[in-house]
Amino acid sequence: MIHGRVPALVQRRLLRPHGILSAELLRPGLSGALIFRCRDGAGRLYALRRWPAGTRARRLAEIHHVVTVARQQGCQLVPRLFVAEPLDTANAHAPPGENWQAESDGYRWDLSDWMPGSPLKIDATSEQIGLGCAAIASFHRAVEGLGERRGCPPAVIARIRRSSELNRQLPTLLRATASMGSHLVLPQGNPELASAIGAALQLLRVHWTRVHAEIIRSMASYENIAVPVQYVLRDVHNEHLLFRSDQKTQLPETTGPTGLIDFDAFRMDTPMTDLARWVGSFAAAPSDPTWEQAMAGYFENSPSPLAGQAEHQILLARNLAEVSNWIGLGNWVVWVVADRRIFPIEPEAVAKRITKLVRFCRSGSLGGLR
């Protein structure tokens, strides 16, 4: 059965040509995309994706091109894309990036392999995390031919800019909420979310001034250092790299990753952005030994320009991860308290993300916590 939210045009262009008989809507994430798990007559699984509103055809074609090149270069962790039936014969020979997408009611859609596996748990072993690092290295190797340069990482510039923006918002917000305590009213009225936001506000009141100054200092130290910059994933956290699951226990094994998913954030940046996101999903503090133990899996499999700079690159990844934790915490406070956003995921899931950031920030060294 095809879910009612799949438009007839998308069914005709993406589902019917590949014999797909069912499309099940999955729980949404934060990106604004919708994911449908599809099945054809032979039982083969596919992923039908409705990209977030505002996704441009050119941007989606860029993402499709990078994914396709990665597969062609031997990275089987990214999904295979399936061609959409052209709207007319004149469009039958359009560039591949355009053939892999369909448009309906202002949204863009694509169809790909369903990537099997399960995410690692937050208490994953260094060995498992290291296997993830090696998988990320295989992706970086596969796409480095698409253009590599040296320069200041865009991630560094972005974090300086965002920290400065938050520093114009947070002090007033933190003062305004200081006297509210338990009387702070949130849009969704969820006690878990209120507790998580309360903990975040308390931590930011005490440490934000020092943290912001340290973010600017630590990130500015990289502005004049040229590092390799290439296509990277940028959002490869613990839920976006899947591992083989034991069919009886449903627990990820250490036999290796099975798939990379969610490519919304593709950009040119330092490969350490991906390592910061991935290892930072598990390792709370920059001093956590997980960093060196796990990232050894990356440098044993990394492109040659980085292999001889492991110590410097690990430090960059650690710094990016810790800075990102504090900026992420500030973002959530602004989004929930000031902007009063309603998110597509449950309030409990938002609370869980905020609580994790509070824990990671408390265990770090920015702001004089250690």
Side-chain angles (χ1 to χ4, degrees):
M1 180 177 179
I2 305 297
H3 194 279
R5 296 187 70 173
V6 182
L9 179 64
V10 173
Q11 294 184 43
R12 177 168 70 81
R13 295 194 62 201
L14 281 172
L15 302 190
R16 290 174 191 164
H18 302 288
I20 291 173
L21 303 178
S22 66
E24 169 195 4
L25 177 62
L26 304 184
R27 292 171 61 185
L30 277 173
S31 70
L34 293 181
I35 305 295
F36 299 80
R37 181 167 51 203
C38 304
R39 191 183 301 269
D40 66 15
R44 179 174 176 172
L45 294 177
Y46 303 76
L48 176 68
R49 181 184 182 95
R50 191 191 78 176
W51 287 76
T55 302
R56 296 181 178 273
R58 183 174 180 179
R59 168 61 176 159
L60 191 50
E62 177 188 22
I63 292 172
H64 288 160
H65 176 61
V66 175
V67 169
T68 302
V69 169
R71 279 191 68 89
Q72 290 172 345
Q73 295 301 314
C75 182
Q76 300 301 303
L77 293 171
V78 298
R80 180 174 54 162
L81 295 162
F82 293 92
V83 174
E85 182 179 274
L87 286 169
D88 52 59
T89 55
N91 199 41
H93 302 292
E98 295 181 15
N99 281 339
W100 288 321
Q101 57 183 288
E103 188 272 336
S104 179
D105 299 325
Y107 288 97
R108 300 197 176 276
W109 300 70
D110 64 14
L111 183 70
S112 65
D113 280 323
W114 181 264
M115 303 309 288
S118 303
L120 293 180
K121 302 298 183 183
I122 194 65
D123 59 351
T125 66
S126 295
E127 178 187 8
Q128 290 173 312
I129 302 169
L131 288 171
C133 291
I136 293 169
S138 72
F139 171 81
H140 289 167
R141 281 200 316 273
V143 301
E144 63 178 331
L146 288 173
E148 181 185 85
R149 58 181 174 81
R150 298 184 68 86
C152 174
V156 165
I157 298 170
R159 281 156 181 77
I160 291 174
R161 181 183 302 118
R162 183 55 184 160
S163 185
S164 297
E165 291 171 350
L166 286 171
N167 200 48
R168 291 191 288 271
Q169 298 174 285
L170 281 177
T172 302
L173 181 61
L174 295 173
R175 287 193 298 270
T177 57
S179 60
M180 294 182 183
S182 60
H183 300 291
L184 181 66
V185 178
L186 300 179
Q188 293 167 291
N190 181 273
E192 289 184 39
L193 180 56
S195 177
I197 283 291
L201 286 167
Q202 183 178 17
L203 191 64
L204 289 168
R205 285 191 196 103
V206 175
H207 297 287
W208 174 253
T209 299
R210 292 194 301 272
V211 164
H212 169 63
E214 183 60 23
I215 288 173
I216 300 301
R217 186 203 64 78
S218 63
M219 292 292 96
S221 67
Y222 292 100
E223 285 188 294
N224 297 316
I225 299 176
V227 300
V229 174
Q230 65 164 84
Y231 271 111
V232 295
L233 299 158
R234 293 177 66 246
D235 196 28
V236 57
H237 56 72
N238 62 305
E239 295 179 3
H240 287 170
L241 178 52
L242 306 179
F243 279 66
R244 195 177 313 282
S245 298
D246 183 284
Q247 295 301 310
K248 294 181 180 178
T249 65
Q250 294 299 305
L251 295 176
E253 300 174 338
T254 57
T255 50
T258 55
L260 283 163
I261 59 173
D262 205 326
F263 306 109
D264 295 42
F266 260 164
R267 287 286 190 277
M268 296 283 285
D269 214 321
T270 166
M272 292 305 102
T273 302
D274 285 350
L275 275 295
R277 192 74 173 103
W278 171 248
V279 183
S281 297
F282 307 95
S287 59
D288 192 317
T290 300
W291 281 98
E292 289 189 8
Q293 295 169 11
M295 287 181 69
Y298 180 87
F299 291 106
E300 291 171 0
N301 298 274
S302 69
S304 55
L306 297 180
Q309 307 173 20
E311 184 175 349
H312 173 76
Q313 296 295 323
I314 289 175
L315 180 60
L316 172 58
R318 284 172 163 173
N319 288 345
L320 286 172
E322 187 170 20
V323 164
S324 297
N325 287 338
W326 281 99
I327 289 176
L329 195 65
N331 284 338
W332 279 113
V333 165
V334 169
W335 294 338
V336 174
V337 180
D339 298 346
R340 305 186 71 78
R341 290 192 195 178
I342 302 296
F343 299 94
I345 61 177
E346 296 85 353
E348 293 81 4
V350 174
K352 184 177 180 181
R353 293 182 182 220
I354 295 170
T355 299
K356 177 181 174 182
L357 285 173
V358 167
R359 178 165 58 86
F360 278 15
C361 288
R362 281 176 176 161
S363 66
S365 58
L366 284 178
L369 268 70
R370 302 185 70 211

